[in-house]
Amino acid sequence: MGFHDNLYGSSYYNEEELLQSDDYPPPLVNLCARYCVNHLSKTLLEKIPSEEPIEPQITSNFTLRAGVRLPSELSEKIFSYLDKHTTTAELLRYESSSSSSSGSSTSEEEEVEEQENNDLRLIDARGIQDRNLLEEVERRRVARQRRRRRRRRRRIEHNERGGRRKMLWNGYGAAEPGDPEIIPEAIEVIGFDAIVQPLFGNPLHLPLTKLNLRDSTALTDELLLKLLVHKPRELDIHDCPKLTSASLDGINANSQNLVSLNIGSTTQLLPSVCADNDYFLVTPKLMKLVVWNLNTNIPMYWNSLTGSFSITLTSLDLSGCGEFEDFEFLRKFQRLRSLVLYNVLVSGRVVEEADEDAMEDDQCYPHFVLVLEDDGSGDENIIVHRRRLEKLVNKLVGPICQLKELRHLDISTSVDPSSSSLALSPNGNNLIGSVPLTPWSNYPNPNQILSTIVQNLPHLSHLDISGTNLAGRGVAVRGEQEAQTSSTRLCDIPGLNCRVDNPLEFLGLYGTAHDASHRHCIPAKRVSGDKDECQILVACEAYIHRHEVLEKVLNDLFHLFRSERGTHITQSLRLILRAMNLHPSEKHVQISGSASLFYIVKNEQHVQGGNAEQEVINPPMKRMILSTIVNAMAIHKVDSTMARNGCLTICHFRIPQDVMFIYAKLVKILLKILGQSIGPHHRHESFVERIAIYLLNSLACQVEGWHKRLVGDLGAMKRMLQLIRDRLSRPECDDVMEIAWSTMWNVTDETPENCEKFLKNEGMVLFLKCLQTFPNKPELLRNMMGLLGNVAEVGGLRNQLMTSEFISVFCELLDSTQDNIEVSYNAAGVLAHILSDGEEAWTITTPSRNVIQESMVRNVNRWNINSTRNINYRSFEPILRLLRIAHTRECQLWAAWALANLTRVYPEKYVPLVEKENGLPPLNDLLSEPGEESQIHENVKKYARITLRNVDEFNKNGKIDLSTFMDG
């Protein structure tokens, strides 16, 4: 099926192709999303027709031709997409900048808008047949788009220099070319009504027949009433806490087409009282109703709720509702095909003596007799109580057996049947138990009750008795027909004996008494239970909306994967992710789900398959897993188990490549976790600390530019220094202490802003305390000196290092032999940068500048040129700068030695780097300088020659022979 050129000129497009993608918006959906973001306050205008299809990546504004009516399926696709992306904060608008920085850009935008309006007026005046005119308008549009991008880049540069940061997004959450990927500050999310109302306010343009608004905390009566003008066929408002009785009035007023209504837990819009024969839900065509957890003791309430559509209703879900004294109101639903009574609450009040005769005379119930086993006591009181219990069960089960069209019946419960019973108290007035209400789960004579239900429902295909004792004790019996034909087929569920030849499509046995799901002869094609992986996956799919059962199912799934018995990886992944996304606030669901995810991704063959066809966790699946895990960690950040599961799972992905799309959010969570672990009350969480700081260090180590600034802006420097203070107070130098210094080393690399944060937060004071408290920790010393090397590279901060105390410490560390040469090398690097500022910048008398210079020469000359290193340079710019410091040869000596060593020991990485950054000309310039009667100058030239020879040898041979001694 195609639709006409009202949208795309003379071209026809296949509707199925536009609707085929669930994860990524098709062209029309994408363009409509852009329209919502860019034209929130404008009316629908005409779009200039184009002969070429408009691809999703095009960022041009999109408008709809007046009077266009899209197919309802396409409208719902657009609505669903916008609903998803606004609630997940993926559609963002520009932050309004301050008047001082945005005045000129505002005027420019007004000029652009005026020009666009002029173009449209010009088209209206001349018509749209002039192809040259259209080409001219398109040329102008492209030129304006380029100007906008240039302005955006200028704004970004301004923001990076200290202005307010903004996020520039296109229509569905991807950054424009040249824009930053994530900015943490002052991002404003477009409200759901601000996006939906302008586009869907008029049902003549984008009609909606399905409104899925569940889990919307922002949905109000006013917005719902605006959307109800579409007169939808299906409406889902589960878990919308802001709705009131006004919404119920709106539903009644616009129910002409309504056939499906999911109220769910939004029961506050229903009245608490009702009058006889007063129907407060007036939806005459309703076929499906879902109401959860509504408790009322008004006998006529359920009649008032369902009376207006009793003839049309085919599906009813009353999960968690009560308190039911009987199910009498069900009798009128003769067309009912699906009935869900999961976790319904049964009143403790039993049948009064006056009602017994009425029940015996009532011909509407099926004639079956429940006979309890006699305990042999002969107690007349017990016999009377037993008779009353039989009557009570008749009153509950009888109406269900009248629903002859029923296909799906769910009478399951999440409560252990052994802890709940329909037994009577000795006085005969209440059920035995601590509460007057109890789930309906432990039946007297379960075999007979189940058999009666099944025999009276001839079309039944889906039955769920999970959590009950209706499956009996598991004594295998032969069916009646089998007995007549001498068949060997048996049934291990006595109540289903009559279905041996006609097995159920689905049978729910999860958590039943006596482990019914573990039996062999079960007359059903699909069974939910905990016997094996297939049953667990069926249970997970069947109970995906029931978090109290889902917790147990996910725990069973976890044990499967921990013991490496899980084989249905893809199906398990999708169910786990769906469960976690449906129940983000349920901690135990998130913990069990994340534990299963850990064992799935831990298996390398699942993460990295042999080829694309075998790969289970492909890039889209990785994004889904990581998004789900990070969201769970964000919601349950105070839970150490969730933090541990999440961090361990993330560690099995490529860091940081796989997490760049949620980089800022993950950094925030890790910093929050580390903040909670500080102090004497949280020292038992050392493992969570270690794994969190390891992840944070990995995130900071392999990124550049604004990502490092982002980590610092989010508070990483302050948090690391807090961890260090905490360790000094113990005192204890553990992995967390060392990695905290390593993280700051990585975050400050070529990032002056973070270096400044280190100094402002008393980082040098903590450096001295760590040096004094832990003098024999080479790993710690190397990390601290590496950090100070980054600080010393910032010219504006070096004066803060110019104190007698700091310089004396650096001088002492020059002679250190700990950790090979790393401590001495980094100390020399710090002093080389300080010396590069010249004699006038040396403002202390002790130690003198000459003493430092002599010590540097002595130590550089003792270093082995073939020493392996524990350092990582992404740029040689600071080292090459020191090569040009002619007034202090010691600076050149350290820089020349560093290049000679690195290009010799690690030529694969550093030879291309020195060539890329034009490091060869400065080396040649050193060799061409006139000779001096100075051993330092000669040593500088020697290391320069070594570096040049390393480059030549590697380029010729592809390697360097370290066994050859090079004296320069």
Side-chain angles (χ1 to χ4, degrees), residues 448-469:
Q448 186 175 356
I449 292 177
L450 180 60
S451 177
T452 302
I453 292 174
V454 174
Q455 289 178 12
N456 281 275
L457 301 177
H459 302 294
L460 191 66
S461 59
H462 293 72
L463 174 64
D464 199 332
I465 56 174
S466 299
T468 71
N469 67 336

Side-chain angles (χ1 to χ4, degrees), residues 169-184:
W169 290 80
N170 67 18
Y172 57 99
E176 294 280 357
D179 291 340
E181 297 177 19
I182 302 171
I183 292 295

Side-chain angles (χ1 to χ4, degrees), residues 772-789:
Q772 181 181 2
T773 308
F774 312 109
N776 298 317
K777 293 289 184 177
E779 181 80 14
L780 178 65
L781 285 176
R782 183 184 73 236
N783 293 342
M784 290 193 299
M785 292 309 301
L787 164 61
L788 294 182

Side-chain angles (χ1 to χ4, degrees), residues 309-549:
F309 46 86
S310 59
I311 299 177
T312 60
L313 192 68
T314 60
S315 176
L316 179 63
D317 185 346
L318 300 177
S319 298
C321 292
E323 60 189 85
F324 293 102
E325 292 187 17
D326 57 50
F327 293 138
E328 180 72 16
F329 69 96
L330 295 176
R331 291 171 46 193
K332 56 189 176 185
F333 303 133
Q334 291 304 309
R335 297 182 60 185
L336 200 65
R337 291 170 173 258
S338 174
L339 176 62
V340 179
L341 299 175
Y342 164 72
N343 259 7
V344 296
L345 300 176
V346 176
S347 173
R349 293 184 297 275
V350 298
V351 183
E352 298 294 337
E353 292 291 343
D355 296 333
E356 292 187 7
D357 293 338
M359 289 185 61
E360 291 174 356
D361 296 336
D362 195 346
Q363 299 301 315
C364 64
Y365 295 110
H367 295 286
F368 63 92
V369 181
L370 300 175
V371 182
L372 299 182
E373 296 180 3
D374 192 349
D375 60 1
S377 64
D379 191 327
E380 293 184 1
N381 290 330
I382 295 178
I383 295 175
V384 172
H385 298 332
R386 187 182 301 117
R387 288 185 57 198
R388 291 186 177 183
L389 180 58
E390 293 169 355
K391 297 294 184 181
L392 175 61
V393 175
N394 285 339
K395 201 171 184 181
L396 296 172
V397 176
I400 296 176
C401 295
Q402 286 188 293
L403 306 175
K404 300 301 182 179
E405 296 297 321
L406 209 61
R407 269 73 169 168
H408 176 269
L409 175 62
D410 185 345
I411 51 176
S412 63
T413 178
S414 62
V415 179
D416 185 352
S418 63
S419 64
S420 177
S421 175
L422 282 175
L424 295 177
S425 60
N427 60 16
N429 294 326
N430 295 298
L431 297 172
I432 294 176
S434 59
V435 293
L437 297 178
T438 182
W440 182 19
S441 60
N442 203 1
Y443 298 81
N445 276 27
N447 294 343
Q448 186 175 356
I449 292 177
L450 180 60
S451 177
T452 302
I453 292 174
V454 174
Q455 289 178 12
N456 281 275
L457 301 177
H459 302 294
L460 191 66
S461 59
H462 293 72
L463 174 64
D464 199 332
I465 56 174
S466 299
T468 71
N469 67 336
L470 286 175
R473 296 181 176 275
V475 179
V477 296
R478 192 185 307 277
E480 296 179 1
Q481 297 179 0
E482 286 81 354
Q484 298 174 2
T485 60
S486 301
S487 172
T488 59
R489 297 179 62 187
L490 301 176
C491 178
D492 283 340
I493 299 180
L496 296 179
N497 185 29
C498 61
R499 296 302 296 262
V500 170
D501 288 333
N502 182 25
L504 297 167
E505 293 292 328
F506 168 83
L507 177 61
L509 295 178
Y510 189 83
T512 48
H514 310 295
D515 293 327
S517 64
H518 291 247
R519 301 172 192 172
H520 296 287
C521 301
I522 300 177
K525 298 177 182 179
R526 298 173 70 242
V527 177
S528 70
D530 57 3
K531 175 185 176 182
D532 52 32
E533 184 180 12
C534 290
Q535 285 191 4
I536 294 173
L537 291 176
V538 171
C540 189
E541 184 176 3
Y543 312 128
I544 197 76
H545 294 288
R546 302 174 181 176
H547 66 86
E548 59 276 359
V549 181

Side-chain angles (χ1 to χ4, degrees), residues 65-111:
R65 181 185 298 276
V68 170
R69 179 180 176 88
L70 296 183
S72 60
E73 292 184 11
L74 187 56
S75 300
E76 289 149 13
K77 187 77 173 181
I78 299 169
F79 183 87
S80 175
Y81 169 76
L82 292 175
D83 181 21
K84 171 185 175 183
H85 286 275
T86 52
T87 54
T88 56
E90 291 186 14
L91 281 178
L92 305 175
R93 63 177 171 183
Y94 304 132
E95 174 203 3
S96 58
S97 56
S98 59
S99 58
S100 60
S101 62
S102 63
S104 61
S105 62
T106 302
S107 62
E108 290 175 349
E109 295 294 342
E110 292 175 352
E111 292 178 4

Side-chain angles (χ1 to χ4, degrees), residues 749-768:
D749 184 25
E750 299 181 15
T751 313
E753 298 90 341
N754 291 338
C755 296
E756 185 176 6
K757 288 181 174 66
F758 170 77
L759 295 177
K760 284 184 177 180
N761 288 279
E762 301 180 344
M764 290 304 297
V765 175
L766 295 179
F767 162 71
L768 295 177

